[in-house]
């Protein structure tokens, strides 16, 4: 039985497959317990979990809050608006405040790549990256992988098409690392202006024609296109984007007949995904992703609290 | 002031190609004589160099000083301390301070502050445009009279082609040149790394390396048009160096320098979001580092400058994209340049030439050589003595070295400014 060796969960890049499997297996057992209405209130009893969000995110914060509470932790939410950061309190000032509060588990969301890694050097708590800039979003990729595994029975040899604004997506990066580690074939699909430079070097195949990109895919994973990307001139308009890179029923027909459709939320209906596809219960697993999110975060909190205890 | 006789030295003078054991006599702050002298005049102070290398004090073609405007990062006094420990006796200061050196008064202030250190000549660049904002040209003639060594907007590219054209033309009237930070700003906006696999993995905003070659290509065309002299600072890519090599072969008045990070480090140094390795221009890929070394060898690159930029902890202990770019470089200039000698890429004379005679020639200085009559600005160093760069323990206030943790061979033993010992 592998034992997760790190103090923090900052990124999936470089995380060895046995530890990914360990996290997914534990998450799966939490998913079953959650469905059975059973709670495990003693796992994190006496531990303090702080949700430190420098960027608004209702769903990720709520998911971590629920995960922590189901395991019996004392959960505190701290929303630090960017304006108060601009008033002079630095990330490291925040770190010393948290140390003084004796935090055990620290969930961090930040608009800057590498911010959780910087915090992890200064805080005594185990740090969980809940999304940093355009770098990584490890728990999102874990919940995506768990959802896929439950639907497909395995991750091995699946073809996953990640579509849309890959350039700005931390979800895409974490998914690429995890899925490749678990032997999936990964394609990224989008206009050249939204595909990161040299992304092929990570081991993915790049498609600018969405029809070719999702052909025979087992999983079609859509990404959120943020409105400011259009203001930045990376794509000319929402309607053009939807026409060529939005997922609708006609394009989805090219994927495998049993292909599942995923989205990390929140969705821009009519921009990257058509409502008819998003709400199709036979194809869309978007609701299940949210459910698995809580289970995955329970597993991450559980495993990190144990690794902290082992190492202390 | 007593005469000074330094004996038992390996005299290295890149300007003349001299490499011989001997001594050097200093009188009245100037070099009086050098060669196999054994005895000095009566009453002279005698220093035994122990067989180590005695060379002209280094001339740093490009450094940012914290003063005026950012004294919390570094004062001129602390910069002078770091320079002396690094063997630097002349330093050219960038003008994009606060206030910018776009008027004779602040420029003369910097000159005087340099004189007050007693250990370092500070030669200020004049701002090429008012406030280094890239729009209106400054008074090149008046600034030149006040002591401006040349003109530049420092860490800002002169982006507007017409402004650059006018500056290159007008500078000819005063026999001076324009130093460009070669980076197309519209491509480099908000970037904190070089575009490519590394930046993609780290999720960092990045600019293509071509942003450098584009600006170099434009300014070479403007140099051809105006017959002006353009000097490109901290050139870091093979593509830009190819253009400069061709422009030189064509006979255009084009010169350039690079800085130690660009031949000693590549972009992998920013891994784990190491903000001390966040520089401007950003560190490049390995092929570009090798191209810079080749250009040091073949003479395409005229000089090596420290590109010193003092930063304090608050500038660097923030997420990578928010961190200020720039590295402290005074104390490591010699050691990192000598690494190319130890690596077999450069002769010892060529390595020193890049730091002494070459910048002196570019700027028309008397310093930078061991000839009688030249100022007795000297550095005594052991090319082989090892030391380790440790941020936090470097001389001076600025500790933001991109070389933190690197082992170097080549240690300064003593530094003299106008015949007065200022270090060691």
């Amino acid at each position: 039985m592998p034992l997760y060796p790190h103090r923090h969960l900052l990124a999936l890049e470089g995380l060895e497959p046995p530890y990914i499997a360990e996290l997914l297996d534990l998450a799966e057992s939490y998913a079953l317990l959650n469905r059975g209405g059973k709670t495990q209130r003693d796992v994190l009893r006496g531990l303090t979990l702080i949700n430190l969000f420098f960027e608004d995110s209702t769903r990720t914060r709520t998911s971590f809050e629920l995960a922590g509470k189901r395991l019996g932790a004392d959960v505190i939410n701290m929303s630090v608006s960017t304006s108060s950061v601009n008033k002079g309190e630095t990330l490291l000032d925040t770190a010393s405040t948290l140390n003084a509060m004796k935090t055990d588990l620290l969930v961090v969301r930040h608009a800057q790549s590498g911010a959780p890694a910087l915090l992890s050097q200064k805080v005594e708590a185990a740090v969980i990256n809940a999304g940093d800039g355009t770098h990584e979003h490890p728990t999102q990729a874990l919940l995506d992988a768990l959802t896929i595994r439950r639907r497909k029975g395995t991750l091995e040899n699946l073809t996953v098409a990640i579509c849309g604004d890959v350039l700005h997506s931390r979800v895409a990066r974490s998914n690429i690392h995890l899925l490749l580690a678990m032997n999936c074939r990964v394609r990224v699909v989008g206009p050249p202006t939204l595909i990161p430079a040299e992304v092929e070097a990570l081991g993915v195949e790049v498609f600018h024609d969405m029809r070719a990109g999702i052909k025979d895919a087992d999983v079609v994973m859509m990404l959120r296109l943020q409105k400011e990307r259009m203001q930045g001139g990376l794509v000319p308009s929402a309607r053009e984007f939807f026409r060529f890179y939005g997922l609708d029923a006609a394009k989805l027909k090219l994927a495998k007949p049993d292909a599942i459709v995923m989205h990390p939320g929140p969705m821009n209906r009519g921009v990257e995904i058509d409502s008819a596809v998003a709400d199709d219960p036979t194809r869309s697993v978007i609701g299940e992703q949210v459910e698995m999110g809580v289970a995955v975060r329970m597993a991450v909190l559980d495993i990190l609290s144990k690794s902290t205890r082992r190492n202390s | 002031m007593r005469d000074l006789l330094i004996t038992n030295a390996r005299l290295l003078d890149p300007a003349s190609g001299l490499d011989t054991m001997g001594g050097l006599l200093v009188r009245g702050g100037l070099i009086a004589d050098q060669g196999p002298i054994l005895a000095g005049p009566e009453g002279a102070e005698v220093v035994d160099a122990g067989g180590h290398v005695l060379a002209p004090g280094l001339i740093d073609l490009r450094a940012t000083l914290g003063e005026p405007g950012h004294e919390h990062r570094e004062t001129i006094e602390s910069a002078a301390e770091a320079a002396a420990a690094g063997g630097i006796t002349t330093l050219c200061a960038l003008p994009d301070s606060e206030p910018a050196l776009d008027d004779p008064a602040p420029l003369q202030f910097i000159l005087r502050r340099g004189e007050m250190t007693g250990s370092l000549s500070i030669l200020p660049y004049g701002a090429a445009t008012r406030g280094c904002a890239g729009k209106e040209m400054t008074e090149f003639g008046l600034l030149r009279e006040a002591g401006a060594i040349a003109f530049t907007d420092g860490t800002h590219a002169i982006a507007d082609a017409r402004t650059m054209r006018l500056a290159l033309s007008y500078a000819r009237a005063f026999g001076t040149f324009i130093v460009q930070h070669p980076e197309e700003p519209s491509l480099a906006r908000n970037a904190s790394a070089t575009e490519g696999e590394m930046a993609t993995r780290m999720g960092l905003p990045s600019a293509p390396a071509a942003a450098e070659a584009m600006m170099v290509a434009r300014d070479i065309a403007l140099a051809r048009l105006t017959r002006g002299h353009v000097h490109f600072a901290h050139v870091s890519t093979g593509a830009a160096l190819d253009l400069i090599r061709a422009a030189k072969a064509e006979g255009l008045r084009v010169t350039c320098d690079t800085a130690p990070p660009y031949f000693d480090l590549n972009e992998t140094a920013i891994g784990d979001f190491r903000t001390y390795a966040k520089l401007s221009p950003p560190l490049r890929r390995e092929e570009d580092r090798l191209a810079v070394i080749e250009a040091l060898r073949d003479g395409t690159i005229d000089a090596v400058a420290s590109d010193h930029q003092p930063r304090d902890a608050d500038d660097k202990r923030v997420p990578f994209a928010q961190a200020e770019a720039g590295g402290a470089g005074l104390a490591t200039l010699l050691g990192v340049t000598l690494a190319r000698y130890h690596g077999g890429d450069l002769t010892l004379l060529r390595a020193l030439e890049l730091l002494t005679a070459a910048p002196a020639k570019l700027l028309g200085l008397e310093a930078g050589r061991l000839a009688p009559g030249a100022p007795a600005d000297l550095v005594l160093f052991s090319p082989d003595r090892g030391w380790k760069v440790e941020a936090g323990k470097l001389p001076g206030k600025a500790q933001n070295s991109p070389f933190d943790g690197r082992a170097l061979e080549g240690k300064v033993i003593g530094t003299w400014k106008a015949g007065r010992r200022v270090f060691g």
Side-chain angles (χ1 to χ4, degrees), chain B residues 37-230:
Chain B
I37 314 162
L38 292 178
E42 195 77 11
E45 180 194 353
V46 179
V47 172
D48 184 336
H52 296 305
V53 172
L54 186 67
L58 310 189
I59 298 169
D60 184 359
L61 195 55
R62 180 184 177 89
T64 296
L65 298 175
E67 197 176 332
H70 297 281
E71 288 80 357
H72 61 289
R73 290 172 174 159
E74 181 185 65
T75 60
I76 282 177
E77 204 175 325
S78 78
E81 182 198 337
I88 298 166
T89 49
T90 301
L91 177 147
C92 303
L94 292 181
D96 46 339
S97 45
E98 282 176 36
L101 308 184
D102 58 1
D103 188 80
L107 200 122
Q108 282 164 337
F109 168 78
I110 294 296
L111 271 169
R112 268 202 306 278
R113 292 283 285 123
E115 284 161 16
M116 282 163 67
T117 67
S119 66
L120 181 67
S121 297
I122 299 180
L123 307 178
Y125 284 101
T129 65
R130 286 189 199 278
C132 294
K135 294 194 176 78
E136 305 157 67
M137 256 193 319
T138 56
E139 299 155 320
F140 287 7
L142 296 177
L143 288 166
R144 191 92 170 105
E145 280 182 351
I149 194 81
F151 295 86
T152 179
D153 279 351
T155 58
H156 306 277
I158 301 168
D160 184 71
R162 180 173 177 273
T163 303
M164 187 62 172
R165 178 200 176 159
L166 294 176
L168 283 170
S169 284
Y170 192 62
R172 289 177 54 216
F174 303 99
T176 186
F177 57 96
I178 306 294
V179 178
Q180 174 71 300
H181 165 71
E183 189 174 51
E184 170 52 48
S186 67
L187 277 177
R189 195 172 297 136
N190 301 327
S192 56
T194 300
E195 190 173 290
E197 181 187 344
M198 188 81 193
T200 288
R201 284 182 187 275
M202 296 174 75
L204 290 175
S206 59
E212 179 173 282
M214 287 174 69
M215 189 60 99
V216 166
R218 184 199 80 175
D219 287 349
I220 286 173
L222 292 175
R224 190 182 291 118
L225 181 71
T226 59
R227 287 174 289 129
H229 176 178
V230 62

Side-chain angles (χ1 to χ4, degrees), chain A residues 134-153:
Chain A
T134 56
H135 177 224
E136 286 222 34
H137 192 349
T139 57
Q140 177 71 43
L142 286 164
L143 74 88
D144 288 341
L146 181 59
T147 307
I148 298 169
R149 203 175 76 170
R150 285 164 58 92
R151 286 296 178 122
K152 299 290 174 190

Side-chain angles (χ1 to χ4, degrees), chain B residues 224-250:
Chain B
R224 190 182 291 118
L225 181 71
T226 59
R227 287 174 289 129
H229 176 178
V230 62
H231 177 90
F232 298 108
H234 48 213
V235 180
S236 60
T237 64
L241 289 164
D242 287 345
L243 292 167
I244 293 165
R245 191 176 284 118
K248 287 184 162 194
E250 189 188 327

Side-chain angles (χ1 to χ4, degrees), chain A residues 13 91-92 110 112-115 117-118 121-122 132 134-135 173 177 196-199 201-202, chain B residues 195-206 272-273 285 314 316-322:
Chain A
E13 182 176 9
L91 202 53
L92 298 183
H110 199 286
Q112 293 291 335
S113 301
L118 179 66
Q121 294 163 14
K122 304 289 170 187
D132 62 329
T134 56
H135 177 224
R173 281 172 181 75
H177 296 308
E198 297 177 11
V199 72
L202 274 60
Chain B
E195 190 173 290
E197 181 187 344
M198 188 81 193
T200 288
R201 284 182 187 275
M202 296 174 75
L204 290 175
S206 59
D272 296 327
F273 301 98
R285 56 183 65 207
D314 290 339
K316 289 290 190 182
R317 276 164 36 179
V318 291
F320 195 89
Q322 292 173 330

